[in-house]
Amino acid sequence: MEQLLDSALLASEAAQLRAGLQGQVIFPEEPGYDDARLAWNRKIVQYPAVIVEAETAQDVVTAVSFARDHHLGVAAQATGHGNVRPADDCLLILTHKMTGVTIDPIARTASVEAGVKWGAVLAAAQQHGLAPLLGSSPTVGAVGYTLGGGLGWLGRKYGLAADNVLHFEVVTADGQLRRAANDENTDLFWGLRGGGGSLGIVTSMTIRLFPVSQVYAGNLFYPASMAQDVLRHYRAWIADAPDELTTSVVMMNFPPLPEMPDFLRGQSFVMVRGCYCGSVADGETLLRHWRDWRPPVIDDFKPIPFAAAATISNDPVDPMPGFTSGAWLQELSDEAIAALVAYGLGTDGRSPLVFTEIRHAGGAIRRAARETAVYGNRDSELLLLLVGVAPTVEAQQQLAAYTDQLKDALRPSLTGGVYMNFLEGAESQQRIRDGLAPGGYEQLASLKARLDPENLFRFSFNISPARN
Ligand SMILES: Cc1cc2nc3c(=O)[nH]c(=O)nc-3n(C[C@H](O)[C@H](O)[C@H](O)COP(=O)(O)OP(=O)(O)OC[C@H]3O[C@@H](n4cnc5c(N)ncnc54)[C@H](O)[C@@H]3O)c2cc1C
C-alpha cells in the first residue's frame, strides 16, 4: 500500500502541489525537512514522503486530493503530542499555522482552527469569563484532543470535549470539505467524536464554552511512604464527590533535573490534585476531608483563575521523549492499591515511571447520550495513566514491559477498556476496539469503507475499512 514518491515524480509533481497551496511544501532533502518532521514527543522518528504546512482549509483539500491521486497515506499533526504511528512514507499535513480562534460570548462558543493549542482558546475565552474543556496541558492541540474524547478538569461537570462540539469542518478522503454536525453528515459527526482522525482531516471545529472563571484547585503533597493510606482515603473521598469536583491521585517520582526546585528534585510524593468549579466555601469544605485527616507536606489548593488551570498538573512544556499507557479500572480495591503503589513508586524506591495517576471521570461523561458519539467506556470512572521518559528504544521497551506487568497485577480490577488519548504505538493499534462504544469499531469500519476505502487516514486510530 505504501508507495513512495520517486524522484522523477517528485520533480514533476512538486511544482503542481506548490502551485495549489498557500502554505509550504517540503520534500526530503529540502531545507527545513528535518525540523518539520519533528513531533513534540521526541520519541517519534518519522520520515514523511512529503510535508505540507497547511495555512487554510483549501490547503488541506489540495493536500488530501494530491495524496489520494498518488496513493499516499495522509497523517495530520498539530503539535506531535499524540502521534500514535510515525508518519512514514506518507503526506504529513502540519496544521500549526492554522491558528484562528473566534469567541462568540453571547452564544458561548469558540470556533477553533486545526492547529490551535488549548492555551490560546483558554486565554481568549477567559476574557469573557468563559472556559473551554481543555485537559491538563494548554500546549496540547485542541482538535487532536477532542477527536480522542478529551477529559479535563471540568469533565465531571460538563463532560468530554467531544460531547461539546457543535460542528466540525472536515476534509474527507475524496477531497471534499464537509460540515459534520448533529443535523448534517451525522454519521461522520458520530465517528469524529472519539474515533480520532481516522475519518478525515479536521480543518476547524466549533465548541461550547462554559461560565467558569475561578476555581478552587491545586495539589496536596503527602510523603511517598503514605501512598497506600492516601489512595484509600482518596477512594472514600470520591465515592460521593459532586460533579463540580474533578480530581486525581498521583504517585510522582520527580526526575533529578537541575531545573527542579531542591525540595522536589529526585523526590517521590503521592499527590492529590483537582479542580472544584463551585463556590470557594464549598471547595474548602470538600478539602476538609484531607486537612482534617493528616496534614499534607504541601497544600496549595486555593482559589485560582481558571486561566491558570495549567498550574494544577504542571505538565511538561518543552518537547521530550514521552511514553504513555493506561487503562480503565472498575475499582480501587486494596489489592489494586497495593499494585499501584508497588509499581508506581517501585518496591526498591525506584520506578521507571515518572508518574502513575488515577483520574476520576464519571459525572456528565457518564450521563451523556451514548448514541451520539463512538467514544466508549462512559460507565468507567477510574482512569489509570502511566507516563515515563523514553529517550532510547531500550527505555521504551523497558517501560512497555514494566507497564504490562503492572496491568497484569491489576487485572482483576481492570474493566478491559482503554482511553485512546492515553495510548500510543502498538498498544493504540491493538486496543482500538476497547476504546470505543460497543459495536463502534464495526460501525466505524463501515463508515471507512464508504468514506475512506483506501484507508488514507491510517496514521490515526487503526480502523480497517470493512470489506463486504
Ligand atoms: C503532556 C500531555 C498532556 C495531556 N493531557 C491530556 C488530558 O488532560 N486529557 C486528555 O484527554 N488527553 C490528554 N493528552 C493526550 C492528548 O489529548 C492526545 O495526545 C492528543 O492526540 C494530542 O493532540 P495534538 O494535536 O496535540 O497532537 P498531534 O500529535 O499533533 O495529533 C495527535 C493525533 O490527532 C489526530 N489529529 C490531530 N489533528 C488532526 C486534524 N486536524 N484532523 C484529524 N486528525 C487530527 C491525528 O491522528 C494525530 O496523529 C495529553 C497528552 C500530553 C502529551
Side-chain angles (χ1 to χ4, degrees), residues 283-356:
E284 279 173 349
T285 305
L286 283 162
L287 261 289
R288 287 184 51 190
H289 179 85
W290 296 99
R291 291 171 176 154
D292 293 351
W293 179 61
R294 295 188 206 163
V297 183
I298 300 170
D299 177 350
D300 83 338
F301 259 92
K302 56 184 178 298
I304 60 167
F306 193 67
T311 60
I312 304 171
S313 289
N314 280 308
D315 280 343
V317 173
D318 294 334
M320 56 168 289
F323 169 92
T324 310
S325 182
W328 285 105
L329 291 168
Q330 54 195 337
E331 58 184 359
L332 267 180
S333 65
D334 287 350
E335 295 74 21
I337 287 173
L340 288 164
V341 172
Y343 282 84
L345 297 169
T347 39
D348 56 357
R350 257 184 268 162
S351 165
L353 292 166
V354 176
F355 68 86
T356 301

Side-chain angles (χ1 to χ4, degrees), residues 376-390:
N377 299 295
R378 289 186 185 273
D379 290 331
S380 303
E381 298 216 347
L382 297 168
L383 178 59
L384 172 65
L385 168 61
L386 303 167
V387 175
V389 179

Side-chain angles (χ1 to χ4, degrees), residues 40-158:
W40 179 88
N41 189 336
R42 290 294 198 258
K43 192 183 64 184
I44 303 296
V45 180
Q46 52 190 3
Y47 294 93
V50 52
I51 299 173
V52 169
E53 228 174 23
E55 292 187 12
T56 63
Q58 185 53 44
D59 278 0
V60 177
V61 168
T62 304
V64 170
S65 305
F66 179 89
R68 185 203 54 221
D69 292 347
H70 295 89
H71 305 287
L72 286 167
V74 180
Q77 182 174 301
T79 69
H81 277 77
N83 185 322
V84 294
R85 178 179 164 191
D88 287 330
D89 305 332
C90 67
L91 186 149
L92 170 62
I93 299 177
L94 300 179
T95 61
H96 61 261
K97 291 202 167 158
M98 298 176 68
T99 54
V101 178
T102 311
I103 307 293
D104 181 337
I106 307 296
R108 291 185 174 170
T109 61
S111 293
V112 177
E113 282 193 322
V116 173
K117 297 178 190 171
W118 271 125
V121 191
L122 178 63
Q126 284 284 280
Q127 290 178 20
H128 305 280
L130 297 171
L133 300 182
L134 80 162
S136 55
S137 166
T139 62
V140 160
V143 167
Y145 164 99
T146 301
L147 292 171
L151 274 161
W153 288 122
L154 301 176
R156 285 174 43 79
K157 175 70 175 167
Y158 297 114

